[in-house]
Amino acid sequence: MTISFNDETFRDDYTFHNSPAAIRRFPFPFDQDSYMYSVNLEPHAGGREGTPFQKRFDVDEHYVAEMKDRAITLADDPLRCQSLPHMELAGWDFLELVMTSKAEDYPDLFTLNRDGDRWHWINRPLGIEQRFTFLDPTTLPCGPLEYITRQTQGDHALLDQRDDNLWMEAGMITSQADWSLDFDIGMNFYEWHAPVPRAHELGVFQRALKFLLALQQGAPSRRLNWTMTVNPRLDTSPENYHKWGPEKRTITPENVGSKQHLRVELQTLWRLPRSNAIAFPIRCYLLSLEDIVSQPKWGRRLHRVLRDLPDELAEYKGFAVNRPMIVDYLSRFDDGAPTSPGIFPD
Amino acid sequence: MNALELRVAAVDPISPLVTRFRFEHPEGATLPPFSGGAHVVVEMPDDGILRRNAYSLISDPLDGRAYEIAVRREDTGRGGSRFMHHRVKAGDMLRVTRPINLFSLDLRARKHVLIGGGIGITPFLAQLAQLTRLQAPFELHYAARTRSEAAGLSLLPDMPQVHVHISDEGNRMDLGAILGHQPLGTHVYTCGPEGLIAAVDDTAARLGWPRGALHSEAFLAPPPGTPFAVTLASGRRIEVGPHESLLEALEAAEVPVDWSCRGGACGRCETRVAACHGRIEHNDHWLTDDEKAAQTKIMPCVSRFAGETLTLDL
Ligand code: FES
C-alpha cells in the first residue's frame, strides 16, 4: 500500500491532523480502565496488520511533515543531535538497521543496494539518493546517526553498555516529552530516570535495567508510554518551554477536544551487533481527544484512566492543571458500559 | 531461543587439545555481524541429552561468511567438548544462537591492552580483528607456563602487537612492566583463569588504575559434581546427574528457565529458592556475596547443591 503523506505543521498554525485510517491505527496505550507505571516490555516481533507494531520502523502519513519539522528544530539548535566520539560505530550500526529494515519492509518507498562496503540508498518520499562507503563518515553529508535519523520518524537514543549499566551517549532528540539530550548525555540509566515518581520504590528500574543488559541481537523489545500535550507539537523540549508551556493555559471547555492531545510513545529497544550498544527509538504519535472519542471504547476508557490517576502522575505527565476540564469533557463520552480487553478499537 | 540452523563447514584440529569449527549458513546467506568478545551457544544433541555450551567467536566480526569457534577438549568435563571433538563432522547441521556479548570492548579507550591465559585467548581473537579495523591502538599478551600448555598459541596471528610469554622459556609475563607505563585512558581486558584475573586486578590497583578501566571474563563452564535433587513449587522432584547442570536437568524435564550465557555471568537464569536445607554451591559471578550467603537465589546454569532439600520457585 502506498501512503499519501500529509501536508501539515507541528508548530505555529498547527495544521497537523489524522486521517480516519490513522485514527484507527493509533497505538492507544491503555489495555484496561486504570493505569500504573510498569515495565510492560514485549517482543517487538510484528503485530496486527496495519498497526504501528507490524513493521520494525513504522512509516505513516506524517513521515514527510515530521522530517521537515525535525529539520527546523535542528536548524535552530544543532545540539539536538549529538554523539560522543566512541559512539560512531553504534551510529553506523543504527544506520544499517534502519536502512535494511525499511528497504525490506517498504520496498516501494526505500531501496538499499549493497556491494561490499559500497552502498546505494534511495529514499523516495524525501527525494534522497545517496552513494556512500559503509563505515567511512567522509562519504556522508553528516555523521551516520544524524544522516539516518533525519530520515526516521521518532527520537533515537544510543546507549552504550558497560559496568553493568547503560549510558546515553548519542542521540537525535527533537520530539521529546520535556527532556533534553544536551542535559542527559553521558548519564546512566538510573540518572536519566531519576525524575520518574514511584518507579524506584516499585523496583521497576532494577528489573528493567537487568532485562535490557541481557537484550539480544535479533530479538528487539517494545513498550508504550504516554503523556499529554496541548496542541500537536512535536518539540516539547525544556529548551523551548517558553514556547509550549504557556499554551497549557489556553485550554477552555470549548477547545479542549481539539487542542488537548494524547501523546503516545512507541518505544523499541535493539541490540546493535557491531558496537554492542543499544538503540532506543521513541516514536511519538499524537491524537486529539476529539479523535479519540470517535472510537467509543477509547473514549470511555480514557475517561476512567485519567479520572482515577494518582495526582503525582498527572503532575509528572504535565497535565494536572487541565485535568478537571479533560475529565469533564471525556465524561460525556462514558456511558458506564464495560470496555473490551486489549488496546484495539472495537 | 534466538537460534540459527548452521552447517559445520570445517573441523580443523589445531593442537592436540584444541579444534576449530567453522559454521556457515546452509544457503550461503550472510550471518549477522557481531562485536569482538561475543559468544554463541551451540546446541549438542548428545544421546537424549541436549547440551548447550557457550563458545567465544574467534572469527572476524565483519566477515559475515562464517562463525568460527575453538573448542578445548575437557576430558573430565560434562561432555560437551567431547561431543564436539568426537561426534561433530563437516557437513553436520547444528543450532547456534545469535551472538551475545558480555565482554565487549570499551570504545572510549585510547588504547586497549588484552591479557589472556590458556583457552582464555578466544574472545580476544575477534577483538583483534575489530581493533585492527577500527585502527585503535592495542597490545595483546598471552601467557602460559609451557609451550604445550599454550593451547591458543596457534590461533594467534603474527602481528607486532602480539606478545607471547612462556614462563618455562624464561620470559614470564611481568604484569608490573606491562601495566606500569601505559598511556592515560588505556583499558585492560583479562580473560583466563581466576588467578590471572586477580593478578591483573591487584597489579592495576597497586599502580593506581581506575576501576572502570579494568574488564575481565572468567572462562566458566558448568562444573560437574555429585548428583543432587531439587523440588519444584508443584512438588515435582528433579534429579540432576553428575555430568549435568541444574539448568540442563530442568530443560530435560521441560521446565522453562530463561538463560543467555550459561556461564554464571549474565543473570538471566536467576531463580528464587523457596526452601533450602543444605548448602548451595554457588559457582556464578552474578549474585553478590550477601545473596550467596542468604541462599534465597540460585543460578541454575552453573550452581549445584549438597544437602537434604532444595525447593525452587518454579
Ligand atoms: S544463564 Fe547467564 S547466569 Fe545463568
Side-chain angles (χ1 to χ4, degrees):
Chain A
M1 188 196 75
T2 302
I3 305 164
S4 79
F5 298 105
N6 295 351
D7 183 9
E8 59 188 358
T9 57
F10 297 86
R11 57 182 78 213
D12 306 325
D13 56 352
Y14 295 115
T15 58
F16 167 87
H17 56 283
N18 283 291
S19 68
I23 294 173
R24 282 192 63 84
R25 79 192 293 278
F26 183 76
F28 187 74
F30 305 109
D31 63 353
Q32 49 187 1
D33 289 353
S34 64
Y35 172 79
M36 189 64 227
Y37 192 89
S38 70
V39 179
N40 68 303
L41 281 157
E42 62 171 12
H44 183 41
R48 220 183 250 213
E49 172 90 36
T51 63
F53 312 108
Q54 189 189 0
K55 303 289 171 62
R56 287 169 280 187
F57 293 89
D58 186 40
V59 175
D60 66 4
E61 64 188 30
H62 307 297
Y63 177 51
V64 175
E66 280 187 30
M67 295 301 98
K68 277 189 193 143
D69 190 72
R70 163 157 297 160
I72 298 170
T73 304
L74 280 171
D76 283 354
D77 181 1
L79 293 179
R80 300 304 185 86
C81 184
Q82 298 188 44
S83 176
L84 298 185
H86 65 281
M87 297 304 280
E88 170 130 340
L89 184 61
W92 286 108
D93 254 333
F94 190 60
L95 173 142
E96 178 178 32
L97 174 67
V98 174
M99 285 189 178
T100 53
S101 303
K102 281 191 166 177
E104 283 169 27
D105 292 349
Y106 302 94
D108 51 334
L109 303 180
F110 306 97
T111 305
L112 178 66
N113 291 309
R114 291 200 277 186
D115 171 16
D117 283 345
R118 300 231 301 272
W119 293 25
H120 179 199
W121 165 248
I122 301 170
N123 177 336
R124 286 181 199 87
L126 296 182
I128 292 171
E129 180 165 359
Q130 180 81 39
R131 289 173 200 276
F132 64 98
T133 306
F134 188 67
L135 297 181
D136 179 356
T138 62
T139 59
L140 283 178
C142 54
L145 176 66
E146 180 176 348
Y147 182 76
I148 197 58
T149 53
R150 278 180 180 268
Q151 303 179 44
T152 309
Q153 285 166 279
D155 285 345
H156 306 276
L158 299 184
L159 317 177
D160 195 27
Q161 178 163 341
R162 53 177 195 270
D163 309 331
D164 291 329
N165 210 326
L166 295 171
W167 306 79
M168 190 183 299
E169 295 186 321
M172 165 70 89
I173 310 292
T174 65
S175 52
Q176 68 271 52
D178 200 8
W179 65 280
S180 161
L181 176 67
D182 195 40
F183 185 73
D184 283 8
I185 196 162
M187 288 191 184
N188 70 32
F189 186 84
Y190 290 111
E191 291 167 339
W192 82 69
H193 278 113
V196 183
R198 305 277 287 263
H200 279 287
E201 58 194 80
L202 298 173
V204 168
F205 291 144
Q206 237 165 339
R207 281 201 306 280
L209 177 60
K210 191 171 148 184
F211 178 91
L212 293 178
L213 294 175
L215 186 72
Q216 291 177 11
Q217 63 183 83
S221 286
R222 69 176 171 228
R223 68 185 290 259
L224 292 175
N225 198 8
W226 66 277
T227 179
M228 303 282 272
T229 304
V230 173
N231 289 328
R233 176 187 276 277
L234 285 177
D235 176 24
T236 52
S237 57
E239 289 91 338
N240 276 335
Y241 184 81
H242 59 284
K243 294 183 189 157
W244 58 269
E247 290 183 352
K248 280 195 208 181
R249 306 276 172 188
T250 62
I251 290 286
T252 65
E254 292 68 44
N255 67 21
V256 62
S258 59
K259 263 178 151 338
Q260 182 69 56
H261 288 69
L262 177 62
R263 181 185 191 101
V264 173
E265 293 174 353
L266 171 53
Q267 307 178 340
T268 56
L269 290 147
W270 308 76
R271 173 72 68 188
L272 298 175
R274 298 168 195 272
S275 59
N276 204 43
I278 288 179
F280 183 38
I282 309 158
R283 172 66 201 279
C284 166
Y285 296 83
L286 292 161
L287 196 63
S288 66
L289 296 186
E290 234 163 48
D291 285 343
I292 288 174
V293 301
S294 72
Q295 308 301 316
K297 168 180 168 180
W298 290 353
R300 282 186 199 111
R301 183 170 285 170
L302 186 61
H303 170 243
R304 297 167 196 178
V305 168
L306 296 185
R307 181 191 60 196
D308 302 340
L309 199 72
D311 285 339
E312 58 192 336
L313 274 175
E315 194 66 55
Y316 171 64
K317 290 187 181 281
F319 65 97
V321 287
N322 292 320
R323 173 148 79 163
M325 240 184 291
I326 294 167
V327 171
D328 186 52
Y329 172 85
L330 289 170
S331 69
R332 286 185 264 144
F333 302 90
D334 185 356
D335 55 8
T339 52
S340 61
I343 62 174
F344 297 107
D346 288 327
Chain B
M1 187 67 197
N2 195 4
L4 307 157
E5 197 80 44
L6 300 182
R7 190 169 48 81
V8 178
V11 179
D12 301 311
I14 51 172
S15 81
L17 282 180
V18 180
T19 299
R20 178 170 55 206
F21 296 85
R22 183 178 170 88
F23 297 96
E24 290 176 1
H25 192 276
E27 271 108 54
T30 308
L31 300 178
F34 60 96
S35 45
H39 69 269
V40 292
V41 174
V42 180
E43 287 193 358
M44 297 170 268
D46 184 5
D47 291 332
I49 303 179
L50 185 63
R51 299 191 189 283
R52 293 187 172 102
N53 279 10
Y55 296 106
S56 296
L57 289 167
I58 62 169
S59 43
D60 181 348
L62 293 183
D63 180 1
R65 285 173 304 176
Y67 290 160
E68 291 182 353
I69 59 172
V71 180
R72 184 192 149 97
R73 199 179 76 226
E74 305 290 349
D75 290 320
T76 57
R78 292 164 313 128
S81 68
R82 286 198 299 280
F83 177 90
M84 291 301 290
H85 274 250
H86 298 311
R87 305 269 296 277
V88 175
K89 307 271 170 293
D92 287 359
M93 294 291 295
L94 284 179
R95 277 167 60 84
V96 173
T97 61
R98 284 170 186 264
I100 301 163
N101 200 341
L102 300 173
F103 191 47
S104 192
L105 291 169
D106 191 325
L107 296 176
R108 294 172 308 163
R110 303 272 168 80
K111 180 178 175 185
H112 305 263
V113 174
L114 317 176
I115 299 176
I119 197 70
I121 194 66
T122 53
F124 294 142
L125 298 170
Q127 290 183 340
L128 284 185
Q130 187 181 354
L131 290 167
T132 306
R133 170 82 199 228
L134 294 173
Q135 298 181 316
F138 69 91
E139 57 191 67
L140 179 143
H141 297 270
Y142 182 50
R145 206 161 52 82
T146 64
R147 205 159 271 274
S148 60
E149 271 181 22
L153 205 54
S154 49
L155 294 164
L156 277 171
D158 188 11
M159 301 169 88
Q161 296 99 324
V162 171
H163 308 274
V164 176
H165 308 267
I166 308 285
S167 36
D168 267 16
E169 296 174 6
N171 63 343
R172 204 183 135 81
M173 180 159 67
D174 179 351
L175 288 173
I178 293 170
L179 300 180
H181 38 254
Q182 294 294 346
L184 218 56
T186 302
H187 281 239
V188 61
Y189 308 82
T190 314
C191 185
E194 299 273 1
L196 178 66
I197 294 171
V200 171
D201 281 357
D202 290 349
T203 310
R206 185 166 51 76
L207 295 170
W209 281 56
R211 206 38 248 171
L214 309 180
H215 312 272
S216 62
E217 179 167 73
F219 222 74
L220 203 61
T226 44
F228 62 99
V230 295
T231 310
L232 307 187
S234 61
R236 202 168 149 203
R237 219 175 121 84
I238 293 188
E239 309 280 344
V240 183
H243 289 282
E244 206 182 11
S245 69
L246 171 55
L247 178 60
E248 285 165 340
L250 291 167
E251 285 173 339
E254 288 176 8
V255 180
V257 181
D258 204 7
W259 53 270
S260 103
C261 70
R262 303 180 81 89
C266 73
R268 199 81 177 238
C269 68
E270 184 180 299
T271 300
R272 275 212 310 229
V273 169
C276 174
H277 302 286
R279 189 171 45 83
I280 298 176
E281 295 164 7
H282 292 288
N283 295 313
D284 61 276
H285 291 287
W286 175 258
L287 299 175
T288 62
D289 289 344
D290 288 348
E291 285 173 318
K292 286 179 180 173
Q295 303 215 115
T296 52
K297 289 174 184 171
I298 186 170
M299 310 306 288
C301 62
V302 289
S303 299
R304 305 186 69 87
F305 174 72
E308 257 160 53
T309 49
L310 177 67
T311 309
L312 302 181
D313 207 353
L314 281 175

